[in-house]
PDB file of all heavy atoms in Angstrom:
ATOM      1  N   ARG U  12     327.325 285.234 128.527  1.00  0.00           N
ATOM      2  CA  ARG U  12     327.625 284.282 127.432  1.00  0.00           C
ATOM      3  C   ARG U  12     328.710 284.832 126.494  1.00  0.00           C
ATOM      4  O   ARG U  12     329.744 285.270 126.957  1.00  0.00           O
ATOM      5  CB  ARG U  12     326.342 283.953 126.638  1.00  0.00           C
ATOM      6  CG  ARG U  12     325.316 283.169 127.443  1.00  0.00           C
ATOM      7  CD  ARG U  12     325.613 281.693 127.451  1.00  0.00           C
ATOM      8  NE  ARG U  12     324.531 280.930 128.051  1.00  0.00           N
ATOM      9  CZ  ARG U  12     324.623 279.640 128.390  1.00  0.00           C
ATOM     10  NH1 ARG U  12     325.726 278.978 128.190  1.00  0.00           N
ATOM     11  NH2 ARG U  12     323.611 279.014 128.932  1.00  0.00           N
ATOM     12  N   ASN U  13     328.425 284.852 125.163  1.00  0.00           N
ATOM     13  CA  ASN U  13     329.476 285.276 124.236  1.00  0.00           C
ATOM     14  C   ASN U  13     329.577 286.802 124.110  1.00  0.00           C
ATOM     15  O   ASN U  13     330.425 287.307 123.380  1.00  0.00           O
ATOM     16  CB  ASN U  13     329.272 284.654 122.846  1.00  0.00           C
ATOM     17  CG  ASN U  13     327.976 285.094 122.182  1.00  0.00           C
ATOM     18  OD1 ASN U  13     326.983 285.342 122.859  1.00  0.00           O
ATOM     19  ND2 ASN U  13     327.998 285.199 120.862  1.00  0.00           N
ATOM     20  N   LYS U  31     323.995 284.171 111.982  1.00  0.00           N
ATOM     21  CA  LYS U  31     324.433 282.819 111.618  1.00  0.00           C
ATOM     22  C   LYS U  31     324.366 281.900 112.842  1.00  0.00           C
ATOM     23  O   LYS U  31     324.156 282.350 113.960  1.00  0.00           O
ATOM     24  CB  LYS U  31     325.883 282.878 111.118  1.00  0.00           C
ATOM     25  CG  LYS U  31     326.042 283.710 109.875  1.00  0.00           C
ATOM     26  CD  LYS U  31     327.239 283.221 109.072  1.00  0.00           C
ATOM     27  CE  LYS U  31     327.429 284.091 107.816  1.00  0.00           C
ATOM     28  NZ  LYS U  31     326.224 284.207 106.970  1.00  0.00           N
ATOM     29  N   ASN U  32     324.582 280.613 112.604  1.00  0.00           N
ATOM     30  CA  ASN U  32     324.660 279.661 113.716  1.00  0.00           C
ATOM     31  C   ASN U  32     325.727 280.111 114.698  1.00  0.00           C
ATOM     32  O   ASN U  32     326.786 280.590 114.288  1.00  0.00           O
ATOM     33  CB  ASN U  32     325.061 278.261 113.206  1.00  0.00           C
ATOM     34  CG  ASN U  32     323.881 277.550 112.568  1.00  0.00           C
ATOM     35  OD1 ASN U  32     322.731 277.878 112.843  1.00  0.00           O
ATOM     36  ND2 ASN U  32     324.177 276.589 111.724  1.00  0.00           N
ATOM     37  N   ALA U  33     325.438 279.938 115.967  1.00  0.00           N
ATOM     38  CA  ALA U  33     326.397 280.227 117.045  1.00  0.00           C
ATOM     39  C   ALA U  33     326.790 281.699 117.142  1.00  0.00           C
ATOM     40  O   ALA U  33     327.803 282.044 117.740  1.00  0.00           O
ATOM     41  CB  ALA U  33     327.661 279.363 116.909  1.00  0.00           C
ATOM     42  N   SER U  34     325.969 282.584 116.535  1.00  0.00           N
ATOM     43  CA  SER U  34     326.306 284.010 116.647  1.00  0.00           C
ATOM     44  C   SER U  34     325.866 284.585 117.995  1.00  0.00           C
ATOM     45  O   SER U  34     326.334 285.647 118.407  1.00  0.00           O
ATOM     46  CB  SER U  34     325.664 284.794 115.497  1.00  0.00           C
ATOM     47  OG  SER U  34     324.268 284.590 115.499  1.00  0.00           O
ATOM     48  N   GLY U  35     324.939 283.903 118.675  1.00  0.00           N
ATOM     49  CA  GLY U  35     324.502 284.391 119.996  1.00  0.00           C
ATOM     50  C   GLY U  35     323.023 284.742 120.055  1.00  0.00           C
ATOM     51  O   GLY U  35     322.590 285.456 120.958  1.00  0.00           O
ATOM     52  N   LYS U  36     322.225 284.210 119.104  1.00  0.00           N
ATOM     53  CA  LYS U  36     320.787 284.534 119.083  1.00  0.00           C
ATOM     54  C   LYS U  36     320.080 283.944 120.300  1.00  0.00           C
ATOM     55  O   LYS U  36     319.364 284.642 121.014  1.00  0.00           O
ATOM     56  CB  LYS U  36     320.142 283.986 117.791  1.00  0.00           C
ATOM     57  CG  LYS U  36     320.750 284.517 116.508  1.00  0.00           C
ATOM     58  CD  LYS U  36     320.036 283.988 115.286  1.00  0.00           C
ATOM     59  CE  LYS U  36     320.194 282.491 115.059  1.00  0.00           C
ATOM     60  NZ  LYS U  36     321.582 282.055 114.852  1.00  0.00           N
ATOM     61  N   THR U  37     320.301 282.646 120.527  1.00  0.00           N
ATOM     62  CA  THR U  37     319.653 282.007 121.675  1.00  0.00           C
ATOM     63  C   THR U  37     320.147 282.629 122.985  1.00  0.00           C
ATOM     64  O   THR U  37     319.369 282.838 123.916  1.00  0.00           O
ATOM     65  CB  THR U  37     319.902 280.483 121.652  1.00  0.00           C
ATOM     66  OG1 THR U  37     319.423 279.971 120.404  1.00  0.00           O
ATOM     67  CG2 THR U  37     319.163 279.781 122.777  1.00  0.00           C
ATOM     68  N   ASN U  38     321.438 282.958 123.029  1.00  0.00           N
ATOM     69  CA  ASN U  38     321.988 283.591 124.237  1.00  0.00           C
ATOM     70  C   ASN U  38     321.249 284.886 124.580  1.00  0.00           C
ATOM     71  O   ASN U  38     320.953 285.156 125.742  1.00  0.00           O
ATOM     72  CB  ASN U  38     323.480 283.922 124.044  1.00  0.00           C
ATOM     73  CG  ASN U  38     324.330 282.667 123.892  1.00  0.00           C
ATOM     74  OD1 ASN U  38     323.854 281.569 124.183  1.00  0.00           O
ATOM     75  ND2 ASN U  38     325.570 282.824 123.437  1.00  0.00           N
ATOM     76  N   LEU U  39     320.953 285.666 123.537  1.00  0.00           N
ATOM     77  CA  LEU U  39     320.269 286.936 123.765  1.00  0.00           C
ATOM     78  C   LEU U  39     318.856 286.690 124.320  1.00  0.00           C
ATOM     79  O   LEU U  39     318.416 287.338 125.275  1.00  0.00           O
ATOM     80  CB  LEU U  39     320.207 287.715 122.447  1.00  0.00           C
ATOM     81  CG  LEU U  39     319.706 289.141 122.532  1.00  0.00           C
ATOM     82  CD1 LEU U  39     320.636 289.985 123.383  1.00  0.00           C
ATOM     83  CD2 LEU U  39     319.600 289.765 121.147  1.00  0.00           C
ATOM     84  N   LYS U  53     317.762 277.300 129.326  1.00  0.00           N
ATOM     85  CA  LYS U  53     318.777 276.375 128.823  1.00  0.00           C
ATOM     86  C   LYS U  53     319.503 275.614 129.915  1.00  0.00           C
ATOM     87  O   LYS U  53     319.967 274.504 129.708  1.00  0.00           O
ATOM     88  CB  LYS U  53     319.820 277.163 128.006  1.00  0.00           C
ATOM     89  CG  LYS U  53     319.442 277.304 126.544  1.00  0.00           C
ATOM     90  CD  LYS U  53     320.464 278.111 125.796  1.00  0.00           C
ATOM     91  CE  LYS U  53     321.770 277.384 125.550  1.00  0.00           C
ATOM     92  NZ  LYS U  53     322.696 278.231 124.753  1.00  0.00           N
ATOM     93  N   GLN U  59     327.309 278.971 134.055  1.00  0.00           N
ATOM     94  CA  GLN U  59     327.522 278.704 132.630  1.00  0.00           C
ATOM     95  C   GLN U  59     327.252 279.939 131.771  1.00  0.00           C
ATOM     96  O   GLN U  59     327.718 280.037 130.640  1.00  0.00           O
ATOM     97  CB  GLN U  59     326.613 277.566 132.163  1.00  0.00           C
ATOM     98  CG  GLN U  59     327.049 276.207 132.674  1.00  0.00           C
ATOM     99  CD  GLN U  59     326.091 275.101 132.251  1.00  0.00           C
ATOM    100  OE1 GLN U  59     325.085 275.355 131.602  1.00  0.00           O
ATOM    101  NE2 GLN U  59     326.416 273.879 132.631  1.00  0.00           N
ATOM    102  N   MET U  60     326.478 280.862 132.337  1.00  0.00           N
ATOM    103  CA  MET U  60     326.111 282.045 131.541  1.00  0.00           C
ATOM    104  C   MET U  60     327.140 283.173 131.620  1.00  0.00           C
ATOM    105  O   MET U  60     327.033 284.169 130.919  1.00  0.00           O
ATOM    106  CB  MET U  60     324.732 282.551 131.990  1.00  0.00           C
ATOM    107  CG  MET U  60     323.622 281.602 131.549  1.00  0.00           C
ATOM    108  SD  MET U  60     322.015 282.076 132.191  1.00  0.00           S
ATOM    109  CE  MET U  60     322.002 281.227 133.745  1.00  0.00           C
ATOM    110  N   ILE U  61     328.124 283.006 132.512  1.00  0.00           N
ATOM    111  CA  ILE U  61     329.185 284.018 132.595  1.00  0.00           C
ATOM    112  C   ILE U  61     330.151 283.790 131.447  1.00  0.00           C
ATOM    113  O   ILE U  61     330.527 282.650 131.165  1.00  0.00           O
ATOM    114  CB  ILE U  61     329.933 283.900 133.943  1.00  0.00           C
ATOM    115  CG1 ILE U  61     328.942 284.041 135.101  1.00  0.00           C
ATOM    116  CG2 ILE U  61     331.064 284.915 134.035  1.00  0.00           C
ATOM    117  CD1 ILE U  61     329.536 283.708 136.460  1.00  0.00           C
ATOM    118  N   ASN U  62     330.554 284.850 130.797  1.00  0.00           N
ATOM    119  CA  ASN U  62     331.511 284.728 129.699  1.00  0.00           C
ATOM    120  C   ASN U  62     332.734 283.930 130.145  1.00  0.00           C
ATOM    121  O   ASN U  62     333.217 284.098 131.269  1.00  0.00           O
ATOM    122  CB  ASN U  62     331.932 286.124 129.228  1.00  0.00           C
ATOM    123  CG  ASN U  62     332.808 286.044 128.002  1.00  0.00           C
ATOM    124  OD1 ASN U  62     333.991 285.738 128.104  1.00  0.00           O
ATOM    125  ND2 ASN U  62     332.216 286.274 126.854  1.00  0.00           N
ATOM    126  N   PHE U  63     333.206 283.039 129.243  1.00  0.00           N
ATOM    127  CA  PHE U  63     334.296 282.118 129.591  1.00  0.00           C
ATOM    128  C   PHE U  63     335.482 282.810 130.284  1.00  0.00           C
ATOM    129  O   PHE U  63     336.096 282.251 131.174  1.00  0.00           O
ATOM    130  CB  PHE U  63     334.833 281.414 128.329  1.00  0.00           C
ATOM    131  CG  PHE U  63     333.825 280.511 127.670  1.00  0.00           C
ATOM    132  CD1 PHE U  63     333.764 280.424 126.268  1.00  0.00           C
ATOM    133  CD2 PHE U  63     332.955 279.724 128.424  1.00  0.00           C
ATOM    134  CE1 PHE U  63     332.847 279.575 125.657  1.00  0.00           C
ATOM    135  CE2 PHE U  63     332.037 278.881 127.813  1.00  0.00           C
ATOM    136  CZ  PHE U  63     331.985 278.811 126.425  1.00  0.00           C
ATOM    137  N   ASP U 315     312.350 280.957 119.834  1.00  0.00           N
ATOM    138  CA  ASP U 315     313.715 280.674 119.392  1.00  0.00           C
ATOM    139  C   ASP U 315     313.686 279.731 118.196  1.00  0.00           C
ATOM    140  O   ASP U 315     313.119 278.642 118.274  1.00  0.00           O
ATOM    141  CB  ASP U 315     314.500 280.041 120.561  1.00  0.00           C
ATOM    142  CG  ASP U 315     315.994 279.966 120.248  1.00  0.00           C
ATOM    143  OD1 ASP U 315     316.445 280.684 119.327  1.00  0.00           O
ATOM    144  OD2 ASP U 315     316.702 279.194 120.918  1.00  0.00           O
TER     145      ASP U 315
HETATM  146  N1  ADP J 401     329.640 281.297 128.879  1.00  0.00           N
HETATM  147  C1  ADP J 401     329.982 281.531 127.603  1.00  0.00           C
HETATM  148  N2  ADP J 401     331.015 282.374 127.318  1.00  0.00           N
HETATM  149  C2  ADP J 401     331.333 282.636 126.034  1.00  0.00           C
HETATM  150  N3  ADP J 401     330.725 282.068 124.981  1.00  0.00           N
HETATM  151  C3  ADP J 401     329.711 281.227 125.210  1.00  0.00           C
HETATM  152  C4  ADP J 401     329.295 280.909 126.538  1.00  0.00           C
HETATM  153  N4  ADP J 401     328.261 280.036 126.438  1.00  0.00           N
HETATM  154  C5  ADP J 401     328.061 279.804 125.141  1.00  0.00           C
HETATM  155  N5  ADP J 401     328.931 280.516 124.378  1.00  0.00           N
HETATM  156  C6  ADP J 401     329.051 280.503 122.926  1.00  0.00           C
HETATM  157  O1  ADP J 401     327.849 280.976 122.342  1.00  0.00           O
HETATM  158  C7  ADP J 401     327.687 280.353 121.066  1.00  0.00           C
HETATM  159  C8  ADP J 401     326.290 279.827 120.913  1.00  0.00           C
HETATM  160  O2  ADP J 401     325.420 280.875 120.984  1.00  0.00           O
HETATM  161  P1  ADP J 401     323.890 280.669 120.659  1.00  0.00           P
HETATM  162  O3  ADP J 401     323.202 281.858 121.163  1.00  0.00           O
HETATM  163  O4  ADP J 401     323.427 279.352 121.156  1.00  0.00           O
HETATM  164  O5  ADP J 401     323.923 280.651 119.080  1.00  0.00           O
HETATM  165  P2  ADP J 401     322.744 280.761 118.017  1.00  0.00           P
HETATM  166  O6  ADP J 401     322.908 282.089 117.353  1.00  0.00           O
HETATM  167  O7  ADP J 401     322.977 279.653 117.050  1.00  0.00           O
HETATM  168  O8  ADP J 401     321.458 280.643 118.758  1.00  0.00           O
HETATM  169  C9  ADP J 401     328.670 279.218 120.986  1.00  0.00           C
HETATM  170  O9  ADP J 401     329.675 279.551 120.073  1.00  0.00           O
HETATM  171  C10 ADP J 401     329.210 279.099 122.393  1.00  0.00           C
HETATM  172  O10 ADP J 401     330.557 278.728 122.418  1.00  0.00           O
END
Side-chain angles (χ1 to χ4, degrees):
R12 293 277 188 192
N13 63 328
K31 297 207 181 306
N32 282 338
S34 57
K36 301 182 293 299
T37 303
N38 295 346
L39 188 63
K53 272 178 73 177
Q59 287 177 358
M60 289 174 272
I61 303 170
N62 186 282
F63 295 143
D315 191 18

